[in-house]
Amino acid sequence: NAGVTQTPKFQVLKTGQSMTLQCAQDMNHEYMSWYRQDPGMGLRLIHYSVGAGITDQGEVPNGYNVSRSTTEDFPLRLLSAAPSQTSVYFCASSYGPKVGYTFGSGTRLTVV
Amino acid sequence: GESVGLHLPTLSVQEGDNSIINCAYSNSASDYFIWYKQESGKGPQFIIDIRSNMDKRQGQRVTVLLNKTVKHLSLQIAATQPGDSAVYFCAENANYGQNFVFGPGTRLSVLP
């Protein structure tokens, strides 16, 4: 089992560019989430999904889109990158509600 | 001792001593809590969880205590080792699903 795989590990974007952060899990987990981590602020939920075809917004969804066409994949799209989106992004998955997540290793994104 | 750094509170302990990391949670309706460990450059790793119908739960070298009256959670690490050096996050969940709210984290530094 690879667990939760995120690509790329590092990315630099120019303001206004778009890109997709990839997340895949091979544990057949129904629940998947995207978090961003900024210094001194812990992790904040961007979007989450409780199964294929179902997504919902978290605490900080503006500027991001998600889709969940398969159980395995949960990509995060930045529509028009802004410097405020400079952060470390983590994808996580779990088999159900109220259980611990398995996190990926993160994508460090810099927007200049 | 415990001090507030630029971004994270830091707890410094001698190798072999016990560590206590504290967390104040915000929502009195939260009924499920998790402690995560995050090493530099990695994603958070699940340590231990506790549900609101319990006051204490023990794992291997770790104990979580929950005080619902004052909305306080603590993580005790016995015989702290150099490999325990990391940032520790508490997370609370109040809703059905995976809307976890993470605390800002505490950096544990183990001194030789």
Side-chain angles (χ1 to χ4, degrees):
Chain A
N1 278 353
V4 178
T5 303
Q6 291 185 238
T7 55
K9 293 192 182 302
F10 301 93
Q11 183 71 49
V12 179
L13 288 178
K14 294 182 178 179
T15 297
Q17 286 185 316
S18 63
M19 79 159 294
T20 300
L21 307 185
Q22 300 293 343
C23 175
Q25 52 90 9
D26 61 358
M27 297 171 285
N28 202 31
H29 285 173
E30 289 294 327
Y31 287 68
M32 297 186 74
S33 301
W34 276 102
Y35 284 87
R36 60 177 288 173
Q37 184 174 34
D38 301 298
M41 299 187 71
L43 288 90
R44 292 182 293 167
L45 182 65
I46 305 171
H47 286 285
Y48 67 99
S49 170
V50 299
I54 305 169
T55 63
D56 207 345
Q57 297 181 350
E59 179 186 355
V60 288
N62 292 341
Y64 308 95
N65 272 356
V66 292
S67 60
R68 184 92 180 273
S69 57
T70 66
T71 299
E72 295 77 20
D73 299 299
F74 191 43
L76 177 72
R77 282 182 289 277
L78 279 70
L79 309 173
S80 178
S84 61
Q85 294 179 305
T86 293
S87 189
V88 181
Y89 291 84
F90 288 100
C91 180
S93 72
S94 71
Y95 64 83
K98 295 194 184 298
V99 295
Y101 282 125
T102 298
F103 279 85
S105 57
T107 294
R108 185 174 294 274
L109 176 68
T110 302
V111 182
V112 298
Chain B
E2 188 168 328
S3 62
V4 177
L6 279 177
H7 297 294
L8 291 176
T10 299
L11 175 65
S12 299
V13 299
Q14 292 292 137
E15 182 178 354
D17 286 352
N18 296 334
S19 303
I20 300 176
I21 301 170
N22 297 304
C23 176
Y25 64 92
S26 58
N27 190 343
S28 58
S30 293
D31 59 359
Y32 178 62
F33 306 87
I34 301 178
W35 279 101
Y36 286 93
K37 171 186 180 183
Q38 186 177 26
E39 297 174 283
S40 182
K42 297 183 179 180
Q45 177 185 5
F46 175 93
I47 302 173
I48 191 168
D49 60 359
I50 188 168
R51 300 183 191 277
S52 60
N53 60 353
M54 304 173 70
D55 297 323
K56 178 180 180 179
R57 189 159 190 234
Q58 290 183 288
Q60 187 177 13
R61 278 202 310 120
V62 295
T63 300
V64 55
L65 299 178
L66 175 62
N67 185 329
K68 295 179 288 292
T69 302
V70 295
K71 294 189 288 186
H72 184 267
L73 200 64
S74 68
L75 177 70
Q76 301 178 359
I77 304 174
T80 311
Q81 302 169 359
D84 295 326
S85 292
V87 176
Y88 290 81
F89 293 95
C90 65
E92 60 181 298
N93 177 271
N95 303 317
Y96 183 85
Q98 290 297 79
N99 283 2
F100 282 90
V101 176
F102 283 76
T106 296
R107 186 180 305 280
L108 176 64
S109 178
V110 181
L111 307 174

